[in-house]
Amino acid sequence: MESGSVTTPFGRRPMTFGMLASQTAARNIEPGQSIDKWKLYRALCEARPLLGVTDRALAILSALLSFYPKGEISEDNGLVVFPSNAQLSLRAHGMAEQTIRRHLASLIEAGLLIRKDSPNGKRYARKEQGGELREAFGFSLAPLLARAEEIERLAAEVVAERLHLQRLRERLTLCRRDVAKLIEMALEEGAAGDWSAIHLHFRNAVERLPRSASAEQVAATLDELELLREEIVNQLEMQVKTRNQGGNAQHTERHIQNSNSQYTSELEPSFETKQGARSDDRSAGRAEPIAQIHKDERKNEHVSRAHAASAANGGLKSFPLGLVLQACPEIAAYGPQGSVDTWRDLMGAAVVVRSMLGVSPSAYEEACEIMGPENAATVMACVLERAGHINSAGGYLRDLTRRAEKGEFAIGPMLMALARANSPIRGKTG
């Protein structure tokens, strides 16, 4: 400090060990030491969480620094500023004087300011005859100059921690996206495995993460999801290899059969008639099987048409009941006893919902015929979830049925979109 002695506060304000420690530290300013006041203020803003001061207190400190006449804080330029509370209020955007006093006290308690009170507690300065400042009473900025290196080091630590947390969040977001899309792909492609349990594990891991998570919490969740992603990838890669090997074997078998196709007529036994048989009997014998074949084709024509799309594109994939109920929770209220525990319960609830939404029996029967009863009930549950956005549930179901018959519709994306929409952690970290 300028005077080199201890100063005590005016009036009823008590002297504390913290004030004494701040004044002692302020005496350790190196000769000629100086620092840009706004550069130091930016470091203070960064280090605020570690210094234990509020943003409002820093706003008051900014107002105090604006009264410092020079751009750099140094002993040669003086270290005391002495604005009145009214002047501080004007530069602190009209902050109330009582609030200003409270935040000034917090800055002093944090060891960033020293109160240098006059005999009557007023803030003023005495000048020499030549206009030079002889002594000033107000707030000393000496602790800022003495702790400049410490403040910059704390600011660097806060910045590094923030960048570390940001990188962890980026990695967590990418990992969450990978796991979600891999599970969605596995369900859509009908990959072997308990994907409903895997999806539940994934959601539980994400839901445990608080909205304002620390770096340690984000790192722990990231480790868990990265392990889950590795397990999913390994499981899917094994199935891909198995499918490729099966596909190569089938390709080889087809190649062998095709290479021998030119000898088919030689290997097939030719039709021979018994000696003495009449030619018209032979003709009748050939015509009767042909007529029977045509009769069977006409009899099964309706079934063949219904399964034509399924035969062409492999049919719609079914999904675990648990995933359907997670994506479409409203359907449970329409099941027996107000709950859905089995596929039979879900199909019964779908019939109730069909009637409630005005879907005709023929439209729902056609959906069951083309998609299958379980998938039709799943689609009905999805329609119920989006009922507020659909003008005609019956027309919407018929359109989905036609698209499914052509192989242009898949339940998976619609189901996973609803599962994400109904997740309690929608919009969280990632």
Side-chain angles (χ1 to χ4, degrees):
M1 294 176 60
E2 297 96 327
S3 63
S5 61
V6 174
T7 178
T8 58
F10 170 79
R12 297 181 179 179
R13 290 189 292 265
M15 184 67 179
T16 64
F17 274 107
M19 293 180 183
L20 182 61
S22 297
Q23 294 182 34
T24 303
R27 298 194 191 102
N28 298 326
I29 298 174
E30 297 180 2
Q33 182 180 353
S34 65
I35 189 168
D36 184 275
K37 63 180 181 180
W38 297 120
K39 179 182 177 182
L40 179 62
Y41 179 73
R42 286 192 293 271
L44 280 167
C45 292
E46 292 286 359
R48 181 177 65 85
L50 299 181
L51 292 172
V53 293
T54 65
D55 53 349
R56 301 289 298 278
L58 287 179
I60 295 299
L61 183 58
S62 174
L64 280 175
L65 290 174
S66 69
F67 286 100
Y68 192 76
K70 302 294 183 178
E72 290 194 348
I73 302 175
S74 67
E75 285 190 302
D76 295 339
N77 296 328
L79 294 174
V80 178
V81 290
F82 41 90
S84 66
N85 286 343
Q87 291 174 318
L88 276 176
S89 177
L90 289 175
R91 297 200 184 183
H93 308 290
M95 189 180 295
E97 289 191 17
Q98 184 178 1
T99 306
I100 289 175
R101 293 190 191 97
R102 186 172 68 252
H103 292 311
L104 284 171
S106 68
L107 290 171
I108 293 170
E109 184 179 354
L112 299 177
L113 291 178
I114 293 177
R115 191 187 297 274
K116 186 179 179 183
D117 288 341
S118 65
N120 62 1
K122 301 296 184 180
R123 301 171 200 155
Y124 59 87
R126 289 199 179 97
K127 296 184 179 180
E128 301 286 354
Q129 292 182 352
E132 295 180 358
L133 192 66
R134 183 165 63 105
E135 191 172 15
F137 298 98
F139 296 101
S140 173
L141 305 179
L144 294 180
L145 187 60
R147 299 178 62 185
E149 292 184 3
E150 176 195 355
I151 292 170
E152 291 180 341
R153 176 177 55 79
L154 293 176
E157 290 179 6
V158 172
V159 171
E161 180 66 19
R162 185 172 65 246
L163 291 176
H164 176 59
L165 179 59
Q166 180 181 351
R167 294 190 183 98
L168 285 175
R169 287 184 178 276
E170 289 175 353
R171 290 175 57 193
L172 179 62
T173 299
L174 293 174
C175 189
R176 283 181 57 187
R177 185 181 69 190
D178 292 344
V179 173
K181 288 187 177 291
L182 287 170
I183 293 175
E184 183 177 351
M185 180 202 70
L187 289 170
E188 181 63 24
E189 297 294 331
D194 190 357
W195 296 107
S196 179
I198 293 174
H199 183 264
L200 183 62
H201 179 194
F202 167 59
R203 301 314 307 175
N204 288 339
V206 176
E207 289 171 8
R208 287 196 302 270
L209 188 67
R211 183 173 294 274
S212 299
S214 64
E216 291 76 12
Q217 291 171 320
V218 175
T221 303
L222 177 61
D223 290 341
E224 184 176 359
L225 291 187
E226 284 182 339
L227 182 60
L228 180 61
R229 179 177 60 183
E230 184 179 354
E231 293 176 355
I232 292 173
V233 170
N234 289 339
Q235 186 172 349
L236 292 175
E237 285 181 347
M238 290 177 62
Q239 296 188 42
V240 168
K241 292 178 181 179
T242 303
R243 290 185 181 184
N244 289 340
Q245 292 173 357
N248 291 336
Q250 293 176 4
H251 176 74
T252 304
E253 183 179 354
R254 288 194 301 270
H255 177 73
I256 294 174
Q257 291 175 352
N258 292 338
S259 63
N260 293 330
S261 60
Q262 58 181 327
Y263 303 107
T264 301
S265 60
E266 298 179 4
L267 296 176
E268 289 180 351
S270 58
F271 178 76
E272 297 181 358
T273 59
K274 292 184 179 180
Q275 188 175 2
R278 294 186 304 175
S279 60
D280 55 343
D281 291 338
R282 291 196 302 270
S283 301
R286 288 195 301 272
E288 184 176 354
I290 294 174
Q292 184 63 36
I293 291 172
H294 286 200
K295 181 179 179 181
D296 292 340
E297 287 179 351
R298 287 192 300 270
K299 180 178 179 181
N300 297 325
E301 182 178 359
H302 179 71
V303 177
S304 299
R305 185 171 61 253
H307 293 283
S310 297
N313 60 17
L316 291 176
K317 302 291 189 303
S318 296
F319 294 86
L321 179 61
L323 178 60
V324 174
L325 294 177
Q326 181 183 352
C328 310
E330 292 187 17
I331 193 71
Y334 299 91
Q337 309 300 325
S339 64
V340 171
D341 300 318
T342 64
W343 279 107
R344 183 179 296 275
D345 293 344
L346 180 66
M347 289 185 282
V351 173
V352 177
V353 170
R354 172 202 67 74
S355 177
M356 182 188 71
L357 296 179
V359 178
S360 64
S362 60
Y364 187 64
E365 289 174 4
E366 185 180 4
C368 291
E369 187 178 0
I370 299 299
M371 302 180 187
E374 293 86 355
N375 286 330
T378 300
V379 170
M380 207 69 242
C382 294
V383 172
L384 176 63
E385 289 292 325
R386 303 189 67 250
H389 305 281
I390 299 173
N391 294 328
S392 172
Y396 184 67
L397 181 63
R398 287 189 183 276
D399 178 65
L400 294 182
T401 303
R402 284 193 295 269
R403 289 168 55 193
E405 189 173 13
K406 297 177 182 178
E408 299 173 353
F409 169 65
I411 301 177
M414 179 170 62
L415 201 61
M416 296 304 294
L418 287 173
R420 287 191 293 268
N422 289 326
S423 172
I425 53 112
R426 185 183 181 189
K428 250 190 178 185
T429 296

